[in-house]
């Protein structure tokens, strides 16, 4: 019974990984063909972050959020959930066991900057652009699982939502992914037909 349960759990885990891979491949295809359909609405970052975290395997990391007072962003909630999920998943993959991953945000002028902060090995400045290239994994010899699509998909979605994403050093070591999106209050949405 124990062996059967272990095999069933392994099959379930591998099926989830395969499903995720297929979903990521289809998503990347839609991004590259400009077929991503957006539903840009005022979006509460805290709600989306909590939803994204429910889908991420923390791999034993402490994930915290500091999003109180964060203004709403103009975004597609489902795409933003995937972006935050991919960024947190990546942070958990690369951070030392038992370390923390944090999501925080601030309003900056007409924008909101959302940060996913880890204490992993960091990404050398000359290689940062490579991190967003599909199927590119920095340090493939590390044994970290993945296909190299998570950050490419995140960058594609953010760009589709008129935002940007940048890699910064975390003070004390690690990587901070800074995601900038328009603040919802700063954008006037014209009614249809005008």
């Amino acid at each position: 019974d124990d062996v059967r349960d272990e095999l069933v759990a392994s099959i379930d885990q591998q099926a989830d990984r395969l499903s995720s891979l297929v979903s990521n491949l289809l998503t990347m295809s839609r991004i590259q063909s400009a077929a991503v359909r957006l539903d840009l609405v005022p979006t509460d970052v805290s709600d989306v972050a909590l939803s994204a975290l429910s889908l991420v395997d923390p791999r034993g990391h402490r994930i915290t959020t500091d999003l109180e007072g964060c203004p709403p962003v103009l975004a597609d909630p489902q795409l933003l959930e995937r972006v935050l999920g991919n960024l947190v998943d990546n942070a958990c993959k690369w951070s030392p066991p038992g370390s923390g991953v944090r999501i925080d945000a601030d309003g900056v002028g007409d924008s909101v900057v959302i940060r996913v902060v880890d204490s992993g090995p960091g990404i050398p400045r000359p290689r940062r652009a490579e991190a967003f290239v599909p199927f590119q994994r920095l340090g493939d010899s590390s044994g970290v699982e993945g296909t190299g699509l998570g950050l490419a998909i995140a960058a594609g979605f953010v760009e589709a939502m008129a935002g940007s994403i940048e890699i910064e050093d975390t003070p004390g070591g690690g990587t901070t992914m800074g995601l900038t999106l328009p603040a919802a209050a700063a954008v006037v949405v014209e009614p249809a037909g005008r």
Side-chain angles (χ1 to χ4, degrees):
D1 285 348
D2 290 344
V3 171
R4 184 186 68 229
D5 291 345
E6 187 176 319
L7 289 172
V8 168
S10 178
I11 290 168
D12 187 48
Q13 181 181 26
Q14 294 303 319
D16 287 346
R17 287 189 64 218
L18 182 59
S19 175
S20 177
L21 173 62
V22 170
S23 175
N24 282 340
L25 288 170
L26 290 172
T27 299
M28 184 52 62
S29 175
R30 286 197 306 273
I31 289 170
Q32 291 177 335
S33 65
V36 175
R37 295 169 65 190
L38 300 174
D39 183 21
L40 298 177
V41 296
T43 302
D44 185 296
V45 175
S46 183
D47 289 347
V48 172
L50 288 176
S51 180
L53 292 179
S54 72
L55 305 173
V56 172
D57 177 3
R59 296 176 179 84
H61 295 85
R62 298 178 315 276
I63 302 175
T64 59
T65 61
D66 183 6
L67 300 169
E68 189 173 334
C70 175
V73 295
L74 188 69
D76 182 305
Q78 291 182 331
L79 295 189
L80 183 55
E81 178 185 288
R82 290 278 300 274
V83 168
L84 291 177
N86 284 355
L87 294 180
V88 170
D89 185 62
N90 194 67
C92 290
K93 283 180 185 176
W94 289 97
S95 293
S99 64
V101 173
R102 185 179 79 247
I103 304 174
D104 63 37
D106 295 304
V108 179
D110 290 344
S111 301
V112 174
V113 179
I114 306 165
R115 289 172 294 275
V116 176
V117 183
D118 71 44
S119 56
I123 300 174
R125 200 170 290 276
R127 300 203 59 198
R128 289 181 181 174
E130 296 174 36
F132 300 111
V133 175
F135 303 107
Q136 175 62 47
R137 292 178 57 232
L138 301 179
D140 274 341
S141 63
S142 69
V144 174
E145 294 181 355
T147 58
L149 284 173
L151 293 182
I153 288 171
F157 281 173
V158 170
E159 185 177 307
M161 293 186 289
S164 63
I165 187 167
E166 294 184 11
I167 300 172
E168 303 167 2
D169 292 325
T170 300
T175 300
T176 297
M177 293 288 186
L179 162 63
T180 303
L181 288 170
V187 180
V188 178
V189 179
E190 289 291 328
R194 284 195 169 179

